Amino acid sequence: MTKKINFLIRGMHCASCVNSIEKEIQKLDWIKKVNINFANSKALVEFDDKKLKDEDIFKAVERAGYAVEREDKDKLEKEKEIKSLRIRFIISLCLSIPLMYFAMTSAFLPKAFIKHMSFIQLLLTTPVIFMGYEFFTRGIFALYKTKRANMDTLIAIGVSAAYIYSLVSAIQIWLGNEAFSHQNLYFEIAAFLITFILLGRYLEALAKGKTSQAIKKLMGLQPKTAIVIRDQKEIEIPIIEVLVNDIIMVRPGEKIPVDGVLIDGHSSVDESMITGESIPVEKVKDSNVIGGTINKSGSFKFKTIKVGKDTVLSQIIKLVEEAQTSKAPIQRLVDLIASYFVPIVLIIAIGSFCLWFFLGSTFVFSLTIFISVLIIACPCALGLATPTAIMVGTGMGAEMGILIKSAESLQKLKKINALVFDKTGTLTEGKPKVTNIIPYSKTKIEILTYAASIEKKSMHPLADAIVEKARDEKISFKEVSNFEEISGKGAKAKIGSDEVLIGNKNFMIENLIDTSHANLDIDHLMNEGNTTILVVVNKKLLGLIAIADVVKKHVKQAMLKLQDIVDHIYMMTGDNKKTAEAIGVKAKIEYHDIIAEILPQDKANEIKKLQSKNMLVSMVGDGINDAPALAQSDVGIAIGRGTDVAIESADIVLMKDDIRDVYRAIILSKFVIRKIRQNLFWAFIYNTAAIPIAAGILYPFTGFLLNPMVAAIAMAFSSVSVVTNSLFMKRYKKKIIKAF
């Protein structure tokens, strides 16, 4: 039987790490699928659980030199990891700077100091080596256990070669061998290699940020207990004990524990955390209710139809989990490059050593060649190329209210050709407001006064919109008596001697009110996406009040800009088609690009459909119901004021709740990725173009041999050029801000 397990892997630092782990797991029989996501350090493995145990897979990961965790560590653990890298980098830097000075010159140094220079350099270098202990444990251990090299292996061999060669030279100096001098010491190379790599890892750790907590927050929506009616008694039981066809009692303010169908009572239910729609849904007999949603007013009983893993909320959790664990397409290319880069460098270094040695060169000469090749190719600049650009780019974004979580999301955002916007709370305010008052007799203020005085007693969210409008107009509320609310229809009461009815058209027809002269206005308002409230006093229709979720400021402006850089722009909503099209007109989205009446669990499927058409899709949303779609999309963008789950599921978060920042994020991504490519170019040009020179190709013709010190300087210069190029990005910030 096929089983899926999700778990965390600690210690991955590059794409070649992923490659090593995947291949080690795939060595096991009965493995059906291995998917490791470097961005969130998660693995998803499918296997035959009759033939394999979870522990077999965990041991395979450990054989590759990495640690397995079954649960996320909390924020403190991640801060501890970043703090450790920072401290180790600072210590290494403080030791490496004087070490470099001693290696470059003996000026201003006392003779006794110079006499023991080799011993002093050894004392300074050795602690730095220990600061980078993980490069040796993971690099050499992986090579020994899995027979595969990674970038840690290259670092470990390069540093070890420089350190051991220097140590041997130092011993020869202590023994009085005149063939060796301080010029044969390359301790500073070993130290600076560790220092630069630690800096790269520290920046990378900052850029990656915290592991998503979306799954935990989704699970937190589900109540821990439910009130079940058994043997004519109400008993409270754990949620895991609820069975299909149980009768559940739900009181006002309580969360609905599981999915079911209402059998007695009525109420309005806030489904915004599941559907994303702001207006509570009226529930009467035979209405479906969803686990995790909140009962607003009345009490009711319902029969359970789905429990456990079959509920809508559980399905959303599953979709988020699987989508977040899936591997990004760009990662495969990185894996491929990394899998060839390290072994090729090792082969060239070893081959160069052997060639020169067997051609009659001395061991020291051949070893110098070996060290030079490894050092010139050591991926210090490669380690800095992405994180430095990401750090500067994300810093720029943060100042603009755009939080970018990973380099992968930036790279993919640049290529996005389809944007999908959630409607409620993303393109619209997510809160109903009075948009229009149409009077037939009396003034608008008088109509609003009647309506607000009665609706003040109601708990319905549409009532809140009317009351809020009255307060904005500074209207004095009138005394109300005989108030009665009819669920799903409206309310009636007396104001003084006047009989007042407030509600929808059907409610008025039931009370024999003539609404024929208002039909055109009602239809027009509904076509524009409004909910229409009729106000009747003494059986006479005074007027209409239109309520709708209004389009946010700057949406139209943002859409016009986005249409210039994105091929397709869609709007997706659980609302009805007519209301969605009305919002689409205001938001400048074509009607054929509107995806309406979509259930929460189907939103991710709609994203998949677009992806199946060879589109790179970015989803923009703010609700829990958007979380699966955000995770499934190539780049998820969450509105900052949205739910924590949506924000955690997304790759990019817009903190200012400004749709224009979607455009700014895409423009920023294009610029940052351009800088990353420039950085990678310079990293490779310094690290790889000089490999033939380091291997001694010019020596037979010119007598020139690349000294390991020169190789270290070239390596350092490549790192400096990468950092400097990244810092130049800051000049682009004002241009992005002034895009509108």
Side-chain angles (χ1 to χ4, degrees):
M1 182 176 178
T2 299
K3 180 180 179 180
K4 291 183 182 181
I5 59 170
N6 282 279
F7 56 93
L8 282 168
I9 299 175
R10 293 296 180 199
M12 294 191 296
H13 290 300
C14 63
S16 62
C17 297
V18 173
N19 191 46
S20 296
I21 297 169
E22 285 185 343
K23 288 185 177 179
E24 193 64 26
I25 294 175
Q26 287 167 347
K27 282 183 179 179
L28 300 172
D29 293 329
W30 316 111
I31 293 291
K32 297 184 178 181
K33 182 180 179 182
V34 181
N35 208 345
I36 298 175
N37 190 323
F38 174 57
N40 58 17
S41 301
K42 285 187 177 180
L44 173 64
V45 181
E46 293 183 26
F47 61 98
D48 188 336
D49 63 346
K50 291 183 179 179
K51 306 291 184 179
L52 280 177
K53 296 180 180 179
D54 296 4
E55 198 60 34
D56 296 327
I57 296 168
F58 299 153
K59 287 179 179 178
V61 175
E62 290 166 355
R63 280 198 301 273
Y66 303 87
V68 173
E69 289 182 19
R70 304 194 187 203
E71 295 182 0
D72 286 325
K73 286 188 176 180
D74 59 22
K75 183 179 178 181
L76 291 176
E77 287 295 326
K78 294 172 183 65
E79 289 178 349
K80 183 178 177 181
E81 180 185 355
I82 292 173
K83 184 179 179 181
S84 172
L85 283 168
R86 183 173 67 248
I87 291 173
R88 288 157 57 198
F89 163 67
I90 292 172
I91 292 173
S92 299
L93 184 64
C94 291
L95 293 172
S96 298
I97 289 174
L99 187 62
M100 178 62 78
Y101 179 78
F102 299 152
M104 297 295 291
T105 179
S106 60
F108 308 111
L109 296 176
K111 290 183 179 179
F113 203 90
I114 297 172
K115 181 179 179 181
H116 299 288
M117 181 65 72
S118 58
F119 181 69
I120 292 170
Q121 289 190 28
L122 176 63
L123 287 180
L124 289 172
T125 304
T126 303
V128 178
I129 299 298
F130 281 103
M131 291 298 103
Y133 70 92
E134 61 185 13
F135 306 137
F136 301 93
T137 56
R138 289 176 184 148
I140 303 301
F141 187 81
L143 188 62
Y144 173 72
K145 285 286 187 178
T146 67
K147 306 299 185 292
R148 294 188 193 90
N150 55 31
M151 287 193 179
D152 282 342
T153 307
L154 197 59
I155 295 167
I157 293 175
V159 171
S160 297
Y163 182 79
I164 293 171
Y165 174 68
S166 300
L167 180 60
V168 170
S169 298
I171 292 172
Q172 293 297 318
I173 292 172
W174 301 339
L175 294 175
N177 188 339
E178 295 182 357
F180 290 85
S181 69
H182 294 152
Q183 299 301 317
N184 296 104
L185 300 179
Y186 301 118
F187 284 121
E188 77 284 356
I189 294 172
F192 263 104
L193 279 172
I194 294 292
T195 302
F196 275 119
I197 298 300
L198 284 174
L199 175 60
R201 296 288 161 85
Y202 170 62
L203 293 174
E204 183 181 357
L206 288 175
K208 286 177 69 176
K210 64 181 181 179
T211 303
S212 172
Q213 297 293 317
I215 303 299
K216 289 183 179 179
K217 290 179 180 178
L218 278 169
M219 290 178 174
L221 291 174
Q222 193 173 50
K224 300 294 185 292
T225 61
I227 298 174
V228 181
I229 300 175
R230 291 178 180 171
D231 299 326
Q232 305 301 316
K233 294 180 181 180
E234 294 182 8
I235 57 173
E236 188 171 1
I237 64 173
I239 193 73
I240 59 174
E241 295 180 13
V242 176
L243 304 174
V244 174
N245 293 325
D246 269 342
I247 305 301
I248 307 289
M249 167 63 75
V250 183
R251 300 187 179 94
E254 293 181 342
K255 284 185 178 180
I256 297 170
V258 295
D259 297 357
V261 58
L262 196 144
I263 59 173
D264 183 41
H266 60 81
S267 182
S268 61
V269 175
D270 180 1
E271 296 183 344
S272 60
M273 68 286 296
I274 297 294
T275 66
E277 302 305 328
S278 58
I279 300 175
V281 180
E282 297 294 335
K283 300 294 183 180
V284 295
K285 188 176 180 180
D286 296 329
S287 296
N288 290 324
V289 291
I290 303 172
T293 58
I294 300 174
N295 181 29
K296 298 290 287 185
S297 53
S299 298
F300 62 87
K301 298 175 185 177
F302 74 94
K303 185 197 301 188
T304 63
I305 56 175
K306 291 182 180 179
V307 298
K309 65 180 181 179
D310 296 323
T311 63
V312 170
L313 182 58
S314 295
Q315 290 298 310
I316 291 176
I317 291 171
K318 180 182 176 183
L319 287 169
V320 173
E321 192 171 35
E322 290 187 357
Q324 285 190 334
T325 310
S326 61
K327 181 182 290 187
I330 188 67
Q331 202 168 323
R332 296 188 182 94
L333 178 60
V334 176
D335 291 348
L336 183 63
I337 293 172
S339 66
Y340 286 105
F341 178 78
V342 176
I344 286 174
V345 170
L346 283 171
I347 291 170
I348 293 173
I350 295 170
S352 299
F353 172 86
C354 295
L355 178 64
W356 285 105
F357 186 74
F358 288 117
L359 285 177
S361 298
T362 65
F363 177 82
V364 172
F365 181 92
S366 303
L367 185 61
T368 301
I369 294 285
F370 176 76
I371 294 172
S372 296
V373 171
L374 286 179
I375 291 173
I376 201 69
C378 196
C380 292
L382 288 176
L384 291 170
T386 296
T388 53
I390 291 299
M391 286 304 298
V392 176
T394 53
M396 291 168 56
E399 291 174 5
M400 296 183 287
I402 302 168
L403 301 186
I404 303 163
K405 292 187 177 180
S406 71
E408 285 188 23
S409 59
L410 267 178
Q411 185 158 356
K412 287 184 285 186
L413 186 63
K414 175 185 179 294
K415 299 178 181 179
I416 288 297
N417 55 21
L419 273 171
V420 180
F421 287 91
D422 171 56
K423 179 181 77 68
T424 305
T426 303
L427 295 179
T428 67
E429 294 290 349
K431 183 180 179 181
K433 292 184 178 181
V434 173
T435 58
N436 198 0
I437 300 176
I438 300 177
Y440 298 122
S441 61
K442 304 288 187 180
T443 65
K444 291 184 179 181
I445 294 298
E446 288 175 311
I447 293 169
L448 186 58
T449 301
Y450 275 113
S453 298
I454 291 179
E455 296 286 31
K456 191 178 180 183
K457 290 184 171 292
S458 173
M459 298 298 292
H460 199 284
L462 295 182
D464 292 341
I466 293 174
V467 172
E468 184 180 344
K469 177 68 174 176
R471 285 176 176 150
D472 291 342
E473 298 290 340
K474 303 190 183 317
I475 289 174
S476 298
F477 297 98
K478 294 187 176 184
E479 289 292 329
V480 174
S481 60
N482 299 336
F483 174 80
E484 182 183 355
E485 189 167 20
I486 296 85
S487 181
K489 297 178 181 180
K492 57 185 177 180
K494 291 192 72 173
I495 297 179
S497 60
D498 292 330
E499 296 277 353
V500 184
L501 298 177
I502 307 291
N504 58 34
K505 182 179 176 181
N506 290 336
F507 182 49
M508 299 308 165
I509 292 173
E510 288 178 9
N511 284 274
L512 305 178
I513 305 299
D514 182 16
T515 63
S516 58
H517 59 290
N519 286 343
L520 287 176
D521 289 331
I522 293 171
D523 291 342
H524 176 70
L525 291 171
M526 289 182 65
N527 287 335
E528 291 188 340
N530 294 278
T531 299
T532 307
I533 304 298
L534 287 70
V535 182
V536 173
V537 177
N538 297 326
K539 296 192 177 295
K540 182 178 180 181
L541 179 60
L542 298 189
L544 310 176
I545 299 178
I547 300 173
D549 190 5
V550 297
V551 173
K552 288 180 181 178
K553 187 179 180 182
H554 304 310
V555 166
K556 178 180 176 182
Q557 187 183 21
M559 291 301 167
L560 292 175
K561 280 277 190 179
L562 286 168
Q563 287 166 5
D564 292 335
I565 60 173
V566 180
D567 296 334
H568 308 282
I569 298 178
Y570 300 91
M571 182 177 75
M572 183 159 59
T573 178
D575 215 335
N576 65 73
K577 187 76 172 176
K578 185 174 288 187
T579 300
E581 288 179 353
I583 296 296
V585 170
K586 297 174 184 176
K588 292 296 179 181
I589 297 176
E590 298 292 336
Y591 74 92
H592 51 74
D593 291 329
I594 293 172
I595 307 169
E597 300 176 14
I598 298 299
L599 295 174
Q601 61 268 35
D602 291 334
K603 285 193 172 184
N605 290 331
E606 293 297 325
I607 298 295
K608 288 180 182 179
K609 288 179 184 178
L610 296 176
Q611 290 170 327
S612 68
K613 298 176 183 177
N614 295 322
M615 292 184 185
L616 280 175
V617 183
S618 177
M619 172 71 188
V620 186
D622 75 320
I624 289 172
N625 65 299
D626 301 323
L630 286 167
Q632 175 61 43
S633 66
D634 296 287
V635 180
I637 301 177
I639 299 298
R641 77 168 191 179
T643 64
D644 288 343
V645 175
I647 292 171
E648 290 293 339
S649 300
D651 302 295
I652 296 173
V653 180
L654 309 181
M655 299 303 293
K656 292 189 297 186
D657 194 17
D658 188 343
I659 295 299
R660 293 179 299 177
D661 284 343
V662 176
Y663 176 81
R664 292 189 179 108
I666 295 174
I667 294 299
L668 178 63
S669 75
K670 292 177 182 293
F671 180 66
V672 173
I673 296 307
R674 186 162 72 246
K675 283 294 179 181
I676 288 175
R677 287 176 175 171
Q678 290 173 1
N679 286 347
L680 290 172
F681 171 78
W682 289 113
F684 274 110
I685 204 70
Y686 285 114
N687 289 85
T688 61
I691 286 178
I693 298 174
I697 195 171
L698 298 179
Y699 186 76
F701 309 104
T702 65
F704 175 78
L705 181 66
L706 185 65
N707 189 290
M709 177 64 72
V710 177
I713 293 172
M715 176 273 295
F717 183 70
S718 68
S719 298
V720 171
S721 67
V722 162
V723 175
T724 304
N725 190 46
S726 296
L727 292 174
F728 283 156
M729 292 166 54
K730 292 183 178 180
R731 298 182 299 179
Y732 194 69
K733 178 184 169 185
K734 289 183 180 179
K735 185 175 180 180
I736 298 175
I737 293 175
K738 294 179 180 179
F740 290 89

